Amino acid sequence: MDQKDVKIVNQDEPVVPRTNSEKEGISNRLKRIEGQVRGLQKMVEEDRYCVDVLVQISAVQAALDKVGYQMLERHAKMCVTNAVKEGNGDEYMDELMKVIKQYSK
Amino acid sequence: MDQKDVKIVNQDEPVVPRTNSEKEGISNRLKRIEGQVRGLQKMVEEDRYCVDVLVQISAVQAALDKVGYQMLERHAKMCVTNAVKEGNGDEYMDELMKVIKQYSK
Amino acid sequence: MDQKDVKIVNQDEPVVPRTNSEKEGISNRLKRIEGQVRGLQKMVEEDRYCVDVLVQISAVQAALDKVGYQMLERHAKMCVTNAVKEGNGDEYMDELMKVIKQYSK
Amino acid sequence: MDQKDVKIVNQDEPVVPRTNSEKEGISNRLKRIEGQVRGLQKMVEEDRYCVDVLVQISAVQAALDKVGYQMLERHAKMCVTNAVKEGNGDEYMDELMKVIKQYSK
């Protein structure tokens, strides 16, 4: 997925700013994912059986899906909803649908 | 995906050992992915716009898909094929189909 | 996906009614898909090679994905946007995210 | 998914022929799916709420996934395994991986 194929809105920050607790929640999840990716490297170095590695790759993907979905949901319910209420929601809704289309590929 | 739901074969290492060049290739990809996950953390700290982060999450997922597929293909063409030729392929084929089923969820 | 797990809004018809041309467009796509499914039955009766049938199943899935996405997009841009503008958008947005979560499974 | 991008083996019928009971099982599933697609047309004609239609589209997709997976599994465990045992399995295994790659798109 390329940014230029998805991004429509000229926006650098969330429309509704993330709270510190939200940021911390996402950071913690991402740190755990970083640890899982390092764990994958170790498995390959230790020559672990392919299916064991594949099961672990699938766990990392599930964790990434979860962060992605959480962020998407927050974006829709906060940023997009806000933009619609303020009368400039069309491009936000367009962009949301493009993100969703790309994720379903 | 839980290991106990997928793994059938009692195997700790690849049936056909990974060459050093194969291990290095996978390690390099995983290191790049680790870097991308750290990049995601930075984006969240810098309060970047949700869609920018989502596009980047989707790039990490595509990179993980690629490593996973590469490993799956190598496992099928080397380990599973080998096991079938040596007459004990049934449980390897069963296991391969379970991996594929779980990945398609 | 079960209706009871997804549907939140107490609504029997689209918030913004489908035009005749919209209905006709969807109906035509669905008729083509029905024809494709009948084609699959014929392939199985004629004992066609597994991979040929699998390629055709995947074509039907792509066609269904397209109708689904088209309907989802129209629902988001018309019905959900409308509901948000009229001040009762929260449950529509919740429901939209549930649909999206279920589709990504 | 295009046939020319996936099919490698020059084969018109399953390597291991489908039994009558297998054919009947697949046909029955496909007939039910055909009925579900007709049900979708009726929902659109009756102007049913978008989310109700989307839930039903997702049910059809799940049913198609099931037939596809069933056929893929049977192909792998019967046709591909057989070909490997008879010493010409490489192109069958190549083709299987292409099918899987395309399905995961």
Side-chain angles (χ1 to χ4, degrees):
Chain A
M1 174 155 86
D2 216 1
Q3 194 178 317
K4 66 178 179 342
D5 300 328
V6 174
K7 200 175 176 182
I8 295 174
V9 174
N10 185 13
Q11 184 85 24
D12 291 325
E13 299 179 6
V15 177
V16 180
R18 290 181 196 106
T19 65
N20 282 336
S21 133
E22 280 180 316
K23 280 198 216 179
E24 214 178 321
I26 305 168
S27 280
N28 287 341
R29 280 174 183 273
L30 289 172
K31 266 173 212 155
R32 266 199 300 277
I33 291 170
E34 191 194 328
Q36 286 177 304
V37 176
R38 263 199 303 275
L40 283 173
Q41 293 169 48
K42 208 165 157 253
M43 288 180 91
V44 174
E45 277 158 33
E46 290 172 352
D47 224 10
R48 294 279 299 279
Y49 178 49
C50 322
V51 171
D52 293 333
V53 185
L54 285 165
V55 167
Q56 200 46 34
I57 289 178
S58 147
V60 182
Q61 286 176 320
L64 263 176
D65 276 349
K66 224 168 172 173
V67 188
Y69 179 76
Q70 197 187 22
M71 188 162 283
L72 185 74
E73 190 176 27
R74 197 260 184 210
H75 175 63
K77 291 188 181 173
M78 308 281 274
C79 305
V80 180
T81 299
N82 229 49
V84 173
K85 279 180 184 161
E86 295 188 349
N88 61 334
D90 285 359
E91 54 174 13
Y92 284 86
M93 202 54 114
D94 266 8
E95 193 184 64
L96 180 67
M97 293 314 296
K98 281 194 158 194
V99 174
I100 287 160
K101 190 173 198 171
Q102 290 289 347
Y103 264 88
S104 73
K105 269 185 189 166
Chain B
M1 173 155 88
D2 216 1
Q3 194 179 314
K4 67 178 178 341
D5 300 327
V6 174
K7 200 173 175 183
I8 294 175
V9 174
N10 185 13
Q11 182 87 24
D12 291 325
E13 299 180 3
V15 178
V16 181
R18 291 181 196 106
T19 65
N20 283 337
S21 133
E22 280 181 316
K23 280 198 213 178
E24 213 179 322
I26 305 169
S27 281
N28 287 342
R29 280 174 183 274
L30 289 172
K31 267 174 211 154
R32 267 199 298 279
I33 292 171
E34 191 194 331
Q36 286 177 303
V37 176
R38 264 199 303 275
L40 283 172
Q41 292 170 49
K42 207 163 157 252
M43 289 180 90
V44 173
E45 277 158 31
E46 290 171 351
D47 225 10
R48 294 279 299 280
Y49 178 49
C50 323
V51 171
D52 293 334
V53 185
L54 285 165
V55 167
Q56 199 46 34
I57 289 178
S58 146
V60 182
Q61 286 174 320
L64 264 175
D65 276 348
K66 225 168 171 172
V67 188
Y69 180 76
Q70 196 188 21
M71 187 162 283
L72 185 73
E73 191 177 24
R74 197 259 184 211
H75 175 63
K77 292 188 182 174
M78 309 281 274
C79 305
V80 181
T81 300
N82 228 48
V84 173
K85 279 179 186 162
E86 296 189 350
N88 61 334
D90 285 358
E91 56 175 11
Y92 284 87
M93 201 54 113
D94 265 9
E95 192 185 64
L96 180 68
M97 294 315 295
K98 281 194 159 195
V99 174
I100 287 160
K101 190 172 198 173
Q102 290 289 347
Y103 263 88
S104 73
K105 270 187 186 165
Chain C
M1 174 156 85
D2 214 3
Q3 194 177 316
K4 68 179 178 343
D5 300 327
V6 174
K7 200 175 176 183
I8 296 175
V9 174
N10 185 13
Q11 183 87 24
D12 291 325
E13 298 179 5
V15 178
V16 180
R18 292 182 195 106
T19 64
N20 282 337
S21 133
E22 279 181 317
K23 280 198 216 178
E24 212 178 324
I26 305 169
S27 279
N28 286 342
R29 280 174 183 275
L30 289 173
K31 267 173 213 156
R32 266 199 299 279
I33 291 171
E34 192 194 330
Q36 286 178 303
V37 176
R38 263 199 303 273
L40 283 172
Q41 293 170 49
K42 207 163 158 253
M43 289 180 89
V44 173
E45 277 158 33
E46 290 172 352
D47 225 11
R48 293 279 300 278
Y49 179 49
C50 322
V51 171
D52 293 334
V53 184
L54 285 164
V55 167
Q56 200 47 33
I57 289 178
S58 148
V60 182
Q61 285 175 321
L64 263 176
D65 275 349
K66 226 168 172 173
V67 187
Y69 179 76
Q70 197 186 21
M71 188 162 282
L72 185 73
E73 191 176 26
R74 197 261 185 207
H75 175 64
K77 291 188 181 174
M78 309 281 274
C79 305
V80 180
T81 299
N82 228 49
V84 173
K85 279 181 184 160
E86 295 188 350
N88 60 336
D90 285 359
E91 53 173 15
Y92 284 86
M93 201 54 113
D94 266 8
E95 192 184 64
L96 180 67
M97 294 315 296
K98 281 193 158 195
V99 174
I100 287 160
K101 191 173 197 171
Q102 290 289 348
Y103 264 89
S104 73
K105 267 184 189 167
Chain D
M1 172 154 88
D2 216 1
Q3 194 178 315
K4 68 179 179 339
D5 300 328
V6 174
K7 200 174 176 183
I8 295 175
V9 174
N10 185 13
Q11 182 87 25
D12 291 325
E13 299 180 5
V15 178
V16 181
R18 292 181 196 106
T19 63
N20 282 337
S21 134
E22 279 181 317
K23 280 198 213 177
E24 212 178 325
I26 305 169
S27 280
N28 286 341
R29 281 174 183 274
L30 289 173
K31 267 173 213 157
R32 268 199 298 278
I33 291 171
E34 191 193 330
Q36 285 177 305
V37 176
R38 264 199 302 274
L40 283 172
Q41 293 170 49
K42 206 163 158 252
M43 289 180 90
V44 173
E45 277 159 32
E46 290 171 352
D47 225 10
R48 293 280 299 279
Y49 179 49
C50 321
V51 170
D52 293 334
V53 185
L54 285 164
V55 167
Q56 200 46 34
I57 290 178
S58 147
V60 183
Q61 285 175 320
L64 265 175
D65 275 348
K66 227 168 170 173
V67 188
Y69 179 76
Q70 197 187 22
M71 188 163 282
L72 185 74
E73 193 177 24
R74 198 260 184 208
H75 175 63
K77 291 188 181 174
M78 308 281 275
C79 306
V80 181
T81 299
N82 228 49
V84 174
K85 279 180 185 161
E86 297 189 349
N88 62 334
D90 285 359
E91 55 175 12
Y92 283 87
M93 200 56 113
D94 265 9
E95 193 184 63
L96 180 68
M97 294 315 295
K98 282 194 158 194
V99 174
I100 288 160
K101 191 173 198 171
Q102 291 289 347
Y103 263 88
S104 73
K105 271 188 186 165

